[in-house]
Amino acid sequence: MVGQNFPISEYYRSKILDAKTLSNRGGRWTAILLIEDPKTTRPIVSLYRWQNTDKGWKVRSRMHIRNKTDAKQMVESIERFAHSLD
């Protein structure tokens, strides 16, 4: 099962369609997940950041992208600014 290793709520865990870890070091974990929305059954893209604490992985931030227009705009913006990164 794709979602069994990602520390997200049970509500979404069984609905993970695909996932990719972007970074997992220094007690921080970032991943992008494709999830079937349990209410609408439509796919959503979610970006999660966790921090490892003494109680396990804790969600520090998350963002859900629910439509293609927003996703395309984010990708274009990231590509535009990526050249500034080392």
Side-chain angles (χ1 to χ4, degrees):
M1 172 178 264
V2 173
Q4 68 188 31
N5 296 327
F6 289 94
I8 65 172
S9 69
E10 289 293 326
Y11 182 74
Y12 288 119
R13 187 173 298 134
S14 66
K15 301 294 185 177
I16 297 174
L17 304 173
D18 202 359
K20 178 168 177 56
T21 293
L22 302 175
S23 175
N24 189 354
R25 61 179 174 259
R28 298 195 179 264
W29 185 3
T30 304
I32 190 163
L33 288 71
L34 179 63
I35 300 171
E36 178 185 286
D37 187 330
K39 287 184 181 178
T40 65
T41 68
R42 295 184 63 196
I44 57 176
V45 174
S46 298
L47 180 64
Y48 278 88
R49 295 193 75 206
W50 300 276
Q51 182 177 10
N52 199 1
T53 68
D54 57 346
K55 295 180 182 180
W57 291 102
K58 171 82 174 159
V59 174
R60 292 299 181 206
S61 64
R62 70 174 175 238
M63 177 176 42
H64 299 302
I65 304 165
R66 299 182 184 276
N67 63 64
K68 280 185 183 180
T69 302
D70 290 347
K72 287 180 180 181
Q73 186 176 18
M74 286 181 185
V75 168
E76 289 170 1
S77 297
I78 290 168
E79 288 176 344
R80 179 175 158 211
F81 295 130
H83 72 277
S84 299
L85 303 174
D86 291 335

